[in-house]
């Protein structure tokens, strides 16, 4: 398994209060879920975004609440690691309140994208990945040359890759997964595995559009060097 664990930080930007606060809130809510025991399913059905319910005009609040719920430790840790790596630079650039509004808007757009392509589904959608996909899209536009530190878990080996390459690979994976699902002949051959790929794509597209706006309006702070020059490639 390979995943990002760090990036180049901006110099003298806004303190990323909301990025880290959102991580803390997600962790606290997940811990609360653990104490619910068997009733956690009812909790998720109540606060997760269920497409058929949303389409019927019910439980609109779940478009927000669903992005703070997670289905397991791996789901939580993966999402929060991405937010930890990519969220702070965006917030440091556009400001605290604007980032919070952008994050929530990205999550809502991502959920609505998933719902549009799954209107008949009664499975609750949970997780922060749609909102985080919006953060990734904005990061691609604002910091394409930032160096992302990647960890190869099995070998405990790390290397650096430009953000533009990592994020383009990431979004291509989401698109390929959607294509495989749409062309699957049955449930067993589908690639989704419960993953809301369309939410990722919708959130990322929103993030790219927002990033283009942010690039015109807000000055981008310089990036700090985080690794020796010889590790450039």
């Amino acid at each position: 398994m390979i995943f990002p664990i760090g990036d180049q930080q901006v110099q003298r930007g806004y303190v990323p209060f909301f990025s880290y606060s959102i991580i803390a809130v997600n962790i606290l809510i997940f811990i609360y879920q653990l104490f619910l025991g068997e009733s956690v399913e009812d909790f998720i059905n109540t606060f997760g975004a269920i497409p058929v319910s949303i389409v019927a005009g019910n439980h609109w609040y779940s478009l927000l609440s669903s992005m703070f719920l997670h289905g397991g430790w791996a789901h939580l840790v993966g999402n929060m690691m991405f937010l930890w790596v990519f969220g702070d630079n965006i917030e440091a650039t556009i400001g605290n309140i604007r980032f919070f509004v952008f994050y929530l808007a990205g999550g809502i757009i991502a959920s609505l994208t998933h719902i549009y392509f799954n209107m008949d589904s009664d499975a609750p959608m949970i997780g922060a990945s749609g909102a985080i996909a919006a953060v990734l899209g904005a990061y691609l536009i604002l910091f394409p040359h930032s160096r992302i530190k990647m960890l190869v878990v099995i070998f405990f080996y790390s290397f650096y890759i430009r953000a533009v390459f990592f994020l383009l690979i990431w979004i291509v994976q989401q698109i390929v997964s959607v294509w495989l699902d749409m062309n699957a002949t049955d449930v067993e051959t589908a690639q989704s595995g419960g993953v809301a790929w369309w939410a990722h794509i919708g959130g990322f597209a929103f993030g790219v559009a927002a990033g283009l706006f942010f690039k015109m309006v807000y000055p981008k702070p310089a990036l700090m060097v985080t690794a020796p020059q010889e590790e450039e490639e």
Side-chain angles (χ1 to χ4, degrees), residues 13-20 22 86-97 99-100:
Y14 291 86
V15 176
F17 171 79
F18 280 107
S19 295
Y20 301 151
I22 291 170
F86 297 100
D88 53 356
N89 277 12
I90 304 300
E91 183 174 356
T93 301
I94 68 175
N96 305 114
I97 300 299
F99 174 80
F100 187 56

Side-chain angles (χ1 to χ4, degrees), residues 5-20:
I5 59 173
D7 69 334
Q8 291 179 267
Q9 300 296 296
V10 302
Q11 298 184 45
R12 295 181 296 276
Y14 291 86
V15 176
F17 171 79
F18 280 107
S19 295
Y20 301 151

Side-chain angles (χ1 to χ4, degrees), residues 158-207:
S158 64
F159 64 94
Y160 288 84
I161 184 174
R162 294 292 182 183
V164 61
F165 297 125
F166 173 73
L167 294 174
L168 287 178
I169 291 172
W170 183 88
I171 190 59
V172 167
Q173 288 178 328
Q174 314 310 304
I175 294 172
V176 169
S177 296
V178 166
W179 183 84
L180 290 174
D181 273 3
M182 294 177 65
N183 289 274
T185 56
D186 52 46
V187 175
E188 286 72 19
T189 59
Q191 301 296 308
S192 63
V195 178
W197 302 114
W198 276 114
H200 296 176
I201 295 172
F204 190 87
F206 171 78

Side-chain angles (χ1 to χ4, degrees), residues 63 67 102-112 125 128 130-132 134 203 206:
L63 292 174
M67 68 179 76
F102 160 69
Y103 181 86
L104 295 181
I108 291 173
I109 294 297
S111 294
L112 291 176
M125 180 181 65
I132 294 170
F206 171 78

Side-chain angles (χ1 to χ4, degrees), residues 42-98:
D42 293 332
F43 181 76
I44 289 176
N45 284 330
T46 299
F47 294 102
I50 301 177
V52 291
S53 180
I54 299 296
V55 171
N58 301 317
H59 304 123
W60 282 89
Y61 63 83
S62 65
L63 292 174
L64 286 175
S65 61
S66 62
M67 68 179 76
F68 293 93
L69 308 180
H70 289 84
W73 281 109
H75 190 201
L76 174 72
V77 172
N79 279 344
M80 294 305 101
M81 181 60 72
F82 269 73
L83 183 55
W84 172 270
V85 172
F86 297 100
D88 53 356
N89 277 12
I90 304 300
E91 183 174 356
T93 301
I94 68 175
N96 305 114
I97 300 299
R98 285 184 287 266

Side-chain angles (χ1 to χ4, degrees), residues 146-162:
S146 174
R147 297 169 64 211
I148 308 301
K149 187 175 184 178
M150 307 295 296
L151 175 66
V152 183
V153 177
I154 297 178
F155 302 106
F156 295 99
Y157 170 78
S158 64
F159 64 94
Y160 288 84
I161 184 174
R162 294 292 182 183

